[in-house]
Amino acid sequence: MYLEIGADIIVQSHGDITNNDLIKNNISYITKLIRKEKIDLGNKDILKKHLVNIECLKLNF
C-alpha cells in the first residue's frame, strides 16, 4: 500500500524515516526468503536478522 501512495518520505511509528527504496528492498527480501532463493547478507547485522526470520518461518510454515 505504501508504494501505491507514491510518497517520497515515509515516517514509521516503529522505525526511522524511510523511502520507497527500503520498502522495495524489504519486499524483495521477503519474497526471496519465502521462495528459498539466494539472499545477499552483506553484514553481520543483516545475518542476525535473517537467522531470526528463518526461525520464525520454521515455526509458522
Side-chain angles (χ1 to χ4, degrees):
M1 286 182 5
Y2 287 113
L3 294 176
E4 293 174 8
I5 293 171
D8 294 326
I9 297 172
I10 299 167
V11 179
Q12 308 177 73
S13 62
H14 63 281
D16 297 330
I17 295 174
T18 190
N19 59 34
N20 289 328
D21 290 338
L22 179 63
I23 293 171
K24 289 175 186 175
N25 289 339
N26 286 343
I27 291 170
S28 174
Y29 168 78
I30 292 167
T31 301
K32 289 177 181 179
L33 184 65
I34 291 170
R35 293 180 181 168
K36 299 180 181 176
E37 296 176 4
K38 184 178 179 179
I39 299 172
D40 180 20
L41 303 171
N43 63 49
K44 289 181 183 178
D45 186 48
I46 294 172
L47 176 59
K48 281 189 209 177
K49 291 176 185 177
H50 178 67
L51 294 174
V52 170
N53 291 337
I54 289 173
E55 289 303 314
C56 288
L57 280 175
K58 286 179 185 177
L59 295 174
N60 293 307
F61 289 103

